[in-house]
Amino acid sequence: MIQGKWIPPVLLASVLACGVSWAQESDNTLRERIDKWVAPLVDAGHLSGSFLAARGNAVIYERSWNIANRETNAPFTPQTKSCVASVTKPTTVIIAAKLIEDGVVNLTDPVSNWLPDFPKAEQIQFQHLLFHRSGIPHRLTAPDDENVQRTAADMVELAAKREFDFKPGTRYQYSSGGYSVLIRVMELASGKDYQTLLAETILEPLNLSNTVHPSQKSDIKEAATSYRWTVDGQEPGADMDYSFLVGAGSLFSTPRDLLAISRALVDGKFGERARRQLLRGGKLRWNGITNHYRAFLEYDAKTDVTVVLVANQMTGANDLLRQNIPKIIAGETIEPYSVPRPNVVKLPADLLKRYAGQYNIAGSPMPVRAKDGALFANDWILLPTSETAFYSPQDYSTVTVKLEDGVPVELDWAGMKCRRLGKLEDE
């Protein structure tokens, strides 16, 4: 008998005769409810990627939507590899934890043990790189340099030429650049390159074949191309070789592979150190964004539910999945989302240029530029809907320019106040 539910004998006999369990019937109903909820987002073309939800190790919902490559008209499938950006970093933490447990490195080891000529090498400890406290800048390359094949050794050379953002160990600052230096330290300490460390620590023990660190673009089979928003629609993202994000944002993967990695971590298969470092408060929250690719994995030990997305376009729909599908799985009724359909207007180029500048966005200085009939916060487009209002399709937000005596002083980004810091350096 199924515990916790009383089933009328006639109904139970019918279910057993059909060979369908009550749990399976419930999952079928759940899939129908989720499909109904996501339908407006799919119809609007705002979901492009693969998504799954799992309870424990069992996948209870899995869908792929839209096109992985518009040039070849290849559809997104569960096997399509997509850049997972900073979801790469948890795998680097897992490798580091294994090396520490094996006695290959210690948290307090100075970087000078392996990189004696690196600036401040005596002051930077292994743990500073691992915990984003090294002072090495987040980005080590300019956009024009990001389509060149790089190794971890190459990234160390680039890092050595950059000024530190602060004295090592004195504060926290998220740093992909620091993680690429971390990878080189682990290569030298272990005598193995990054691909070997990744394979031996994670991919081979779990028998994963759809997670790839590209040494060159041709390495990635069945890979998705990213697409960015423009005033007239979408076009392919920048031509990048993601090896410049080695260990920090370079992996291409699938939801099934990411689920397998997270489950192995939660189950302790990578050791207690990695589990303790990544599973905070019984939750995993992995998030990645680069060049209009988006990925996330979220797990909650209380419900034992994991949701995973890999996507090749940035839209507000991605975060709606993350926020609402766990609620639907928990039994909540969530009304289908009404997809924004903004009325984009044309503004004079000189007005847009007046709004350009450096703004404090989410605590960091960020350039906002005027080009192609819109504003761009880094590479996020803000589409004009009036003289002072803009729409961000990447997160479904309204962004309003606040003026004082006709001079822009702030962006109100869906309630987040972003003060204007001044003009752009190249103005």
Side-chain angles (χ1 to χ4, degrees), residues 89 129 132 134-139 173-180 248:
K89 289 183 176 72
L129 297 171
H132 300 281
S134 69
I136 295 171
H138 171 57
R139 205 72 159 201
Q173 180 176 284
Y174 188 80
S175 176
S176 289
Y179 257 56
S180 292

Side-chain angles (χ1 to χ4, degrees), residues 61-350:
Y61 182 83
E62 185 173 28
R63 292 289 184 268
S64 295
W65 302 290
N66 218 317
I67 302 296
N69 187 304
R70 298 178 186 181
E71 185 176 337
T72 63
N73 204 35
F76 234 106
T77 74
Q79 289 73 46
T80 301
K81 303 175 187 67
S82 190
C83 183
V84 300
S86 286
V87 178
T88 301
K89 289 183 176 72
T91 67
T92 298
V93 172
I94 291 168
I95 296 169
K98 180 69 164 59
L99 293 179
I100 293 169
E101 288 186 344
D102 290 348
V104 176
V105 297
N106 294 305
L107 283 172
T108 56
D109 285 342
V111 167
S112 58
N113 286 1
W114 305 280
L115 299 171
D117 297 327
F118 192 79
K120 304 183 188 295
E122 289 286 353
Q123 300 177 36
I124 307 171
Q125 298 178 359
F126 187 87
Q127 63 182 342
H128 295 154
L129 297 171
L130 183 62
F131 300 139
H132 300 281
R133 298 179 62 84
S134 69
I136 295 171
H138 171 57
R139 205 72 159 201
L140 302 176
T141 50
D144 291 344
D145 299 325
E146 293 174 350
N147 62 352
V148 179
Q149 185 180 336
R150 308 277 187 184
T151 64
D154 294 333
M155 299 311 297
V156 167
E157 291 185 12
L158 292 177
K161 298 175 183 177
R162 298 290 303 275
E163 289 190 12
F164 282 66
D165 289 338
F166 53 87
K167 182 180 177 181
T170 59
R171 64 185 177 92
Y172 172 92
Q173 180 176 284
Y174 188 80
S175 176
S176 289
Y179 257 56
S180 292
V181 175
L182 173 66
I183 286 294
R184 183 56 180 157
V185 167
M186 293 195 294
E187 287 182 337
L188 294 169
S190 66
K192 300 174 182 179
D193 64 19
Y194 171 60
Q195 288 180 303
T196 301
L197 289 169
L198 178 68
E200 291 183 354
T201 309
I202 299 174
L203 304 185
E204 291 173 0
L206 300 182
N207 195 28
L208 302 181
S209 59
N210 284 323
T211 299
V212 179
H213 165 72
S215 59
Q216 56 187 18
K217 296 174 188 175
S218 60
D219 285 351
I220 313 172
K221 309 299 182 185
E222 297 184 71
T225 299
S226 69
Y227 293 90
R228 69 182 187 94
W229 291 94
T230 71
V231 172
D232 299 318
Q234 290 189 336
E235 63 181 34
D239 181 24
M240 283 188 177
D241 186 306
Y242 295 90
S243 59
F244 82 94
L245 289 170
V246 55
S250 57
L251 291 186
F252 281 64
S253 190
T254 64
R256 288 266 179 173
D257 273 21
L258 295 178
L259 175 66
I261 293 169
S262 68
R263 291 305 307 179
L265 174 76
V266 169
D267 292 343
K269 294 179 180 178
F270 296 130
E272 184 55 31
R273 179 179 290 274
R275 188 177 189 276
R276 187 172 61 250
Q277 177 63 33
L278 292 170
L279 188 63
R280 300 295 182 88
K283 294 182 179 182
L284 298 177
R285 289 177 173 169
W286 299 349
N287 188 53
I289 299 172
T290 193
N291 196 26
H292 307 279
Y293 287 107
R294 178 69 198 282
F296 64 71
L297 181 147
E298 296 212 353
Y299 164 78
D300 190 335
K302 290 182 179 179
T303 61
D304 205 21
V305 169
T306 308
V307 291
V308 192
L309 172 80
V310 301
N312 65 339
Q313 68 179 26
M314 285 288 302
T315 77
N318 296 331
D319 277 310
L320 291 176
L321 296 181
R322 180 180 60 82
Q323 295 162 5
N324 291 308
I325 288 187
K327 296 178 182 178
I328 296 172
I329 293 172
E332 293 186 37
T333 298
I334 308 294
E335 293 299 319
Y337 189 76
S338 180
V339 179
R341 301 186 184 279
N343 181 30
V344 178
V345 301
K346 186 174 182 179
L347 296 184
D350 59 343

